[in-house]
């Protein structure tokens, strides 16, 4: 093990040797918190049941929240739609398919007031998953509380505000990394002064987990992000004890139960050692407190009722690892947004664990297990090596600019996909123990057109009733503050929200100075083929690709496209790297493209196929638009395929539109490649 220095602060875990590990010298509630952040853990207070939810309009989400709170949920966790995440009002032309689909649409403080109607914000802990448009969302929440006559110091909850991980995996960023980090610092300053019970950041490994990171990568990069945020807090003039006790973390929990337990124990130990080097006076500064969510990626479209068991196993891992709050995913989330019945089953899973198996009577129940202690030690050491790699590049912001974390995560994802495709990793009902029955579940459907119409009418009403001169003046002040690095951006945004400036207007005022970030598209190669080269299905796909080349005169060429505002690109990147290894020429479209932009790129790259990756339920809006654009330029010959989270009931609708093939969750990549080449060869041979 080595040392890393930051402004004369040395970070070292050399006392964690490869052979020396144990639990005898650790107790819960005392640094390094291996056994838990609190001395009594669940004996006096169990973890918070906090279901992540939001869909359609603020009115419908509010009713859903209130019903869940009556049924035993203890805290709110708000999911926003993709238009909101990306800083666009619902009437913006780029978000027509995204409004209200993967979360609740919030355009103004009036929407936020409706969202929390009859929910007392001084008594209810609120968690908000927001990063890109964090300033207007925080401002709307604060103004909603003020207009409920609630003092800000009574507000409790968490804003995610973890922008660094967005540049690695989730991609719901708006501004470049440096400018985004300024926003993080301003939120730290404002909340430290005005909202002492509110957590100004939730440092998230969950989205890395969902993008394919293994346990040590998720742990390392999440803590490295946390270290970067600590540096930022100190840079803006805060003492470590002013903000460190209110930092929180967020882990993804998968099916490898022992590894997930060890990951959480190792995280607490490493974080305590990192913060100790900043010389805190308050022991709570070194305690890592966390929210967890069961994996969405592990859920299978095949045999969906198996997902109830998966969620239970993952929930137990989170609890046995010592989480402070937990969201359990619903059985239907591999297909669509959770239905009310599926959400009830997921919530009740936690209620059963809390009340029926006596888990709350123990503290660190696996502590002392040789297997768990060794796993904890091994993960801690591997993660520390990765943290050092990042710090040696100058910290996470610099490492992100170099593309290092994104590359490591995509390599891990490609390797795992190959192991699943070959059956080395078993997914019950998918690549082993398959059911002969095609089970269907009821799913929640959102009328996107109706939601969009309601939101547009609401925006028009607000703009007709507000003082436009005041709004313009404050938005100009916000742009100048961004330009001149003066004032607190959150404080100015709160004043804009009070005057009913919209989320899109606030985001645009900052964009005038900061610009809108556009990621460089990179891809990896060779990782998938290295793991799968002896697999017969892979060999058959290679043969077909060569046959296509001999018949057509060139290799099959595919453009992998993401349309709309969904930035989750794990599936798209895995398809791109694996198809390239199989023998396709692969182009990767930019994120957030419109159908018109995708059609234009496809023509410019002279592709045979457009592969659309869809995860945000916008396929029935975006695919017809893409087909229309291809018709306009007389290129209906380009084959169109769709992959991702698409309900089976929508398959025929897509086929009727002209889509050649649809590949749902769990598709074996080499089999999909074979199907695509066969369809194309059939078409070329007919000619």
């Amino acid at each position: 093990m080595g040392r890393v220095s930051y402004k004369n602060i040395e970070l070292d875990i050399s006392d964690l040797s490869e052979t020396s590990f144990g639990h005898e010298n650790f107790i819960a509630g005392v640094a390094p918190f291996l056994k838990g952040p609190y001395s009594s853990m669940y004996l006096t207070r169990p973890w918070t049941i906090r279901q992540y939810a939001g869909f359609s309009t603020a009115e419908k989400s509010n009713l859903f929240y209130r019903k869940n709170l009556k049924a035993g949920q203890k805290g709110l966790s708000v999911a926003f739609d993709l238009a909101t995440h990306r800083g666009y009002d619902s009437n913006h032309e780029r978000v027509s398919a995204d409004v209200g689909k993967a979360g609740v649409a919030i355009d103004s403080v009036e929407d936020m007031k409706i969202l929390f109607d009859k929910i007392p914000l001084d008594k209810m802990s609120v968690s908000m998953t927001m990063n890109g448009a964090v300033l207007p969302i925080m401002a709307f929440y604060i103004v909603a509380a003020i207009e409920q006559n609630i003092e800000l110091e009574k507000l409790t909850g968490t804003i995610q505000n973890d922008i660094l991980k967005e540049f690695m995996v989730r991609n719901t960023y708006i501004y470049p990394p440096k400018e985004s980090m300024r926003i993080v610092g301003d939120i730290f300053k404002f909340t430290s002064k005005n909202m002492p019970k509110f957590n100004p950041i939730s440092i998230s490994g969950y989205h890395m987990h969902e993008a394919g990171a293994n346990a040590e990568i998720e742990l390392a990069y999440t803590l490295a992000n946390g270290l970067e945020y600590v540096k930022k807090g100190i840079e803006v003039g805060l003492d470590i004890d002013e903000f460190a006790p209110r930092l929180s973390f967020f882990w993804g929990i998968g099916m490898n139960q022992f590894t997930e337990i060890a990951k959480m124990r190792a995280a607490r130990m490493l974080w305590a050692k990192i913060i100790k080097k900043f010389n805190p006076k308050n022991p709570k500064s070194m305690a890592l407190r966390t929210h967890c969510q069961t994996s969405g990626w592990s859920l299978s479209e095949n045999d969906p009722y198996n997902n109830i068991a998966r969620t239970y196993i993952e929930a137990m891992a989170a609890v046995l690892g010592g989480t402070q709050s937990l969201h359990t995913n619903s059985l239907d989330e591999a297909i669509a947004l959770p239905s009310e019945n599926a959400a009830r089953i997921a919530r009740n899973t936690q209620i059963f664990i809390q009340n029926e198996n006596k888990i709350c009577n123990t503290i660190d129940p696996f502590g002392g297990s040789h297997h768990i202690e060794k796993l904890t030690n091994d993960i801690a050491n591997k993660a520390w090596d990765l943290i050092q790699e990042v710090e040696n590049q100058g910290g996470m912001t610099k490492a992100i600019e170099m593309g290092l974390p994104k590359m490591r995560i995509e390599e891990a994802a490609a390797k795992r996909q190959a192991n699943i495709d070959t059956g080395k990793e078993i997914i019950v009902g998918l690549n082993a123990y398959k059911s002969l029955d095609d089970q269907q579940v009821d799913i929640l459907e959102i009328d996107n057109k109706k939601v969009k119409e309601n939101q547009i009418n609401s925006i028009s009403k607000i703009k007709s009733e507000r003082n436009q001169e005041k709004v313009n003046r404050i938005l100009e002040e916000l742009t100048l503050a961004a330009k001149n690095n003066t004032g607190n951006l959150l404080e100015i945004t709160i004043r804009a929200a009070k005057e009913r400036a919209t989320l899109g207007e606030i985001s645009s005022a900052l964009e005038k100075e900061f610009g809108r970030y556009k990621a460089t598209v990179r891809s990896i190669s060779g990782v998938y083929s290295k793991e799968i080269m002896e697999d017969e299905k892979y060999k058959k796909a290679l043969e077909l690709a060569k046959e296509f080349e001999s018949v057509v005169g060139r290799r099959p060429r595919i453009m992998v496209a993401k349309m709309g505002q969904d930035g989750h690109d794990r599936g798209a990147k895995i398809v791109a790297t694996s198809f390239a290894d199989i023998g396709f020429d692969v182009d990767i479209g930019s994120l957030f493209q419109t159908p018109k932009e995708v059609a234009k790129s496809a023509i410019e790259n002279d592709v045979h196929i457009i592969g659309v990756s869809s995860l945000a339920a916008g396929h029935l809006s975006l695919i017809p638009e893409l087909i229309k654009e291809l018709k306009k330029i007389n290129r209906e010959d380009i084959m169109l395929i769709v992959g991702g989270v698409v309900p089976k009931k929508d398959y025929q609708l897509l086929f009727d539109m002209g889509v050649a093939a649809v590949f749902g969750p769990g598709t074996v990549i080499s089999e999909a490649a074979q199907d695509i080449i066969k369809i194309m060869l059939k078409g070329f041979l007919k000619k």
Side-chain angles (χ1 to χ4, degrees), residues 9-22:
I9 297 170
E10 288 190 336
L11 309 177
D12 182 20
I13 59 164
S14 55
D15 53 324
L16 293 177
S17 72
E18 293 292 338
T19 56
S20 174
F21 54 87

Side-chain angles (χ1 to χ4, degrees), residues 181-457:
M181 285 296 287
R182 179 187 165 189
I183 292 171
V184 171
D186 280 3
I187 291 172
F188 279 8
K189 284 193 288 186
F190 183 91
T191 53
S192 292
K193 181 180 178 182
N194 301 289
M195 301 166 66
K197 295 181 180 179
F198 195 87
N199 300 323
I201 196 167
S202 174
I203 305 154
S204 174
Y206 181 84
H207 302 96
M208 300 180 208
H209 179 280
E210 292 296 278
N214 58 30
E216 54 264 29
I217 290 175
E218 179 191 357
L219 174 55
Y221 290 165
T222 306
L223 295 186
N225 283 348
L227 176 55
E228 196 83 343
Y229 294 129
V230 167
K231 295 174 189 176
K232 188 65 181 180
I234 292 170
E235 181 185 306
V236 299
L238 297 175
D239 182 85
I240 187 70
D241 290 324
E242 286 185 82
F243 66 97
R246 293 181 298 111
L247 302 179
S248 66
F249 287 78
F250 175 23
W251 304 116
I253 305 296
M255 287 293 288
N256 192 332
Q257 193 171 66
F258 293 140
T259 295
E260 298 298 350
I261 293 166
K263 177 181 75 180
M264 295 173 69
R265 299 173 87 248
R268 290 192 293 269
M269 183 168 57
L270 292 184
W271 186 245
K273 290 180 177 293
I274 287 171
I275 296 299
K276 186 178 181 181
K277 303 302 179 179
F278 291 90
N279 300 315
K281 305 294 186 296
N282 184 354
K284 291 181 179 178
S285 293
M286 292 186 285
L288 184 154
R289 295 162 301 107
T290 191
H291 170 72
C292 290
Q293 181 172 338
T294 61
S295 176
W297 182 85
S298 70
L299 301 179
S300 174
E301 180 187 29
N302 300 70
D303 276 3
Y305 290 102
N306 287 346
N307 295 332
I308 298 173
R310 291 188 175 102
T311 293
Y312 170 76
I313 290 166
E314 292 168 351
M316 282 296 293
V319 172
L320 294 169
T323 191
Q324 278 62 72
S325 70
L326 177 62
H327 165 90
T328 34
N329 283 333
S330 302
L331 67 97
D332 51 1
E333 288 189 61
I335 308 163
L337 289 169
S339 66
E340 188 171 326
N341 184 53
R344 180 184 62 81
I345 294 170
R347 181 186 64 249
N348 285 353
T349 298
Q350 294 195 56
I351 295 174
F352 296 151
I353 295 171
Q354 281 192 359
N355 293 279
E356 295 191 20
N357 74 350
K358 310 302 180 185
I359 194 70
C360 295
N361 294 346
T362 63
I363 297 172
D364 190 30
F366 276 100
S369 156
H370 180 88
H371 181 56
I372 288 293
E373 297 293 356
K374 185 175 189 306
L375 268 178
T376 301
N377 185 77
D378 290 348
I379 290 171
N381 279 286
K382 290 175 183 176
W384 191 256
D385 287 342
L386 290 167
I387 292 170
Q388 286 183 309
E389 182 182 43
V390 168
E391 289 303 295
N392 288 334
Q393 301 301 325
M396 186 53 87
T397 305
K398 293 284 181 63
I400 285 169
E401 290 171 353
M402 295 173 59
L404 175 67
K406 199 171 186 68
M407 179 186 70
R408 292 270 186 264
I409 292 169
E410 288 176 4
E411 287 174 346
K415 183 176 180 180
R416 187 173 187 190
Q417 185 64 49
N419 287 334
I420 292 169
D421 285 356
T422 57
K424 293 177 185 176
E425 179 176 341
I426 289 177
I427 308 293
V428 174
L430 178 65
N431 62 2
Y433 308 103
K434 295 181 181 180
S435 172
L436 297 177
D437 299 325
D438 185 13
Q439 294 178 324
Q440 299 291 313
V441 294
D442 293 331
I443 61 173
L444 177 68
E445 295 188 59
I446 303 297
D447 186 346
N448 169 253
K449 291 181 180 177
K450 188 174 181 180
V451 175
K452 186 167 55 178
E453 184 180 316
N454 288 339
Q455 291 302 119
I456 291 171
N457 289 338

Side-chain angles (χ1 to χ4, degrees), residues 444-494:
L444 177 68
E445 295 188 59
I446 303 297
D447 186 346
N448 169 253
K449 291 181 180 177
K450 188 174 181 180
V451 175
K452 186 167 55 178
E453 184 180 316
N454 288 339
Q455 291 302 119
I456 291 171
N457 289 338
S458 176
I459 292 169
S460 297
K461 185 174 184 295
I462 288 166
K463 289 186 176 181
S464 69
E465 295 175 351
R466 69 189 184 182
N467 186 322
Q468 189 62 47
E469 187 179 333
K470 281 187 177 180
V471 172
N472 292 342
R473 188 163 61 245
I474 297 173
L475 292 176
E476 287 172 10
E477 182 183 344
L478 187 60
T479 302
L480 283 172
K483 179 179 181 179
N484 299 325
N485 198 22
T486 55
N488 186 289
L489 297 178
L490 178 54
E491 186 276 325
I492 299 169
T493 304
I494 291 168

